[in-house]
Amino acid sequence: MTSADATTAARRDRAAATNGETEAFEAAVRPHYAPLVRRLALVLGDPHDAEDVAQDTYLSAFRSWDRFDGTDVRAWLYTIGLRLAFNHRRGRRRWLAAIGRIEPRPWSDPSDPDLWAALSALDPSTRSALLLNVLDGYTQAEIAAMLSVPEGTVASWVSRGRAALRRELGPDR
Amino acid sequence: MDHDDDLSGDDLHGRLAALEARVPVDPTPPTLPSRRRRGRFAVPIALAPVFVLAVVATAAAGAVVVSNLAEGNPGIQNPGQPLAGAHMECMSPPEADAFLAEHGFADVDWQVETGTTVAPDGGKGSSTTVHQATPPEHGYVIPGSVHDNGKVIMVADQRVGATGVGDCFGSPMP
């Protein structure tokens, strides 16, 4: 084999590996994309912001796909997404503060407005921890690892979130 | 039916799941970029002078910015830093101190700001700064940076009129 042949073969192998990686990534992550957008919408309060952050999450996950340990795709994706969402909120808050704190019109759910209002009143960290715990069944230790906070902090968030919802929704609501 | 009990069980799960399912979404993920790298000299040769000028201008601007920085240390929660995304701004000072210790940062200088953000006449308020090794009981935590000697500088803002930062902007002072 000549040197030119070897170079061509190496390029072909690299391209095949790249295509294989992309397919593996898409197959693993695609089923979690729409649920991620929905979750981010609940955390951010705005489906359009959620789609922006979900797209950033998807691309960020793709770039770090070779470092993913392969255990729980959803947890890995949600970890990236929620961290981006928190930063997104921080940026938006600074921007809103700079222009006089004009809040955009948030999404509201007409089917269960009390629940949506009660959930919206929680801070994003508490809301995220509560949803990960109640909806996804992650333990407080798992959530602590995902959000990079101590387990006690998660326990406090989940407890505070449940208490707030109980208080706001109360009987007959 | 005791709604209180329901909220800690299936009802809360069911209502939250239904709420989440009603969020309108476009389920199509974005198109992935090619991971193939461009050639090293992909910029057309005609654009080379513009490219050189841009590099020189960027370097000059960067030097000015760096020379104006009082502290060159990036924030401990900045992307790529040891505690990126930790949200210490939502903790009380003792919680943040315990969190730092848990993550191996035992040498913390707490910079406690007291006073007011706004003067009675509506002008700029005045504040007093005290440095201490132990965290104060109360105050908004403003995450600082790790210095070359390993010391972490954290701010606890106790000024009247302070608002907190980040995710806890506007929340009650811990």
Side-chain angles (χ1 to χ4, degrees):
Chain A
M1 181 186 280
T2 66
S3 161
D5 290 341
T7 306
T8 305
R11 278 193 189 133
R12 196 173 51 233
D13 289 348
R14 260 202 314 274
T18 302
N19 290 338
E21 278 176 35
T22 305
E23 284 168 14
F25 173 81
E26 287 184 329
V29 172
R30 184 179 282 271
H32 302 287
Y33 182 76
L36 173 71
V37 179
R38 291 197 178 90
R39 176 58 52 84
L40 291 171
L42 292 191
V43 171
L44 292 164
D46 184 328
H48 298 296
D49 282 354
E51 280 181 18
D52 288 347
V53 173
Q55 288 183 3
D56 289 346
T57 304
Y58 198 75
L59 296 176
S60 177
F62 180 58
R63 282 195 291 269
S64 54
W65 177 238
D66 50 0
R67 297 196 298 276
F68 172 51
D69 66 7
T71 50
D72 184 345
V73 177
R74 185 176 64 167
W76 175 65
L77 204 62
Y78 277 29
T79 299
I80 297 172
L82 288 171
R83 290 180 182 183
L84 286 174
F86 295 149
N87 287 332
H88 180 85
R89 281 191 68 88
R90 266 197 284 277
R92 199 180 65 163
R93 279 170 183 273
R94 283 200 199 102
W95 169 245
L96 289 171
I99 61 170
R101 300 173 68 181
I102 302 166
E103 284 283 354
R105 195 176 63 184
W107 177 69
S108 62
D109 177 47
S111 301
D112 197 348
D114 291 339
L115 177 62
W116 175 239
L119 199 62
S120 301
L122 302 177
D123 68 79
S125 309
T126 303
R127 208 181 311 161
S128 303
L130 185 72
L131 293 170
L132 289 168
N133 183 245
V134 174
L135 278 184
D136 304 322
Y138 288 114
T139 64
Q140 292 176 355
E142 287 167 336
I143 297 168
M146 289 167 78
L147 302 182
S148 284
V149 295
E151 203 175 327
T153 304
V154 174
S156 157
W157 284 342
V158 172
S159 162
R160 200 190 309 160
R162 279 183 184 276
L165 291 191
R166 198 175 295 132
R167 190 173 56 245
E168 293 299 319
L169 298 175
D172 306 324
R173 295 186 76 178
Chain B
M1 182 171 69
D2 187 342
H3 209 94
D4 226 49
D5 286 341
D6 285 347
L7 272 177
S8 60
D10 291 343
D11 188 46
L12 179 58
H13 179 276
R15 286 175 74 179
L16 285 172
L19 176 70
E20 190 170 68
R22 284 192 294 270
V23 175
V25 299
D26 173 3
T28 315
T31 306
L32 291 170
S34 167
R35 293 189 103 182
R36 258 176 262 169
R37 298 174 67 181
R38 294 181 113 194
R40 283 179 70 188
F41 300 104
V43 177
I45 200 72
L47 289 178
V50 176
F51 183 68
V52 169
L53 277 175
V55 168
V56 170
T58 305
V64 170
V65 170
V66 169
S67 69
N68 288 336
L69 284 177
E71 294 287 352
N73 303 289
I76 194 169
Q77 293 192 160
N78 281 10
Q81 293 305 300
L83 299 179
H87 303 295
M88 282 189 289
E89 73 273 19
C90 293
M91 301 178 193
S92 69
E95 282 173 343
D97 199 63
F99 179 76
L100 286 167
E102 205 172 289
H103 287 78
F105 298 101
D107 189 6
V108 182
D109 176 18
W110 282 95
Q111 180 182 322
V112 184
E113 301 285 339
T114 53
T116 57
T117 56
V118 182
D121 63 1
K124 191 172 183 300
S126 60
S127 62
T128 305
T129 303
V130 173
H131 288 266
Q132 57 190 56
T134 54
E137 282 300 308
H138 304 289
Y140 287 112
V141 169
I142 301 173
S145 56
V146 188
H147 288 223
D148 293 340
N149 58 5
K151 186 187 279 291
V152 178
I153 310 294
M154 295 288 286
V155 177
D157 191 355
Q158 298 181 333
R159 291 174 303 162
V160 174
T163 55
V165 296
D167 266 352
C168 285
F169 175 86
S171 62
M173 185 184 288

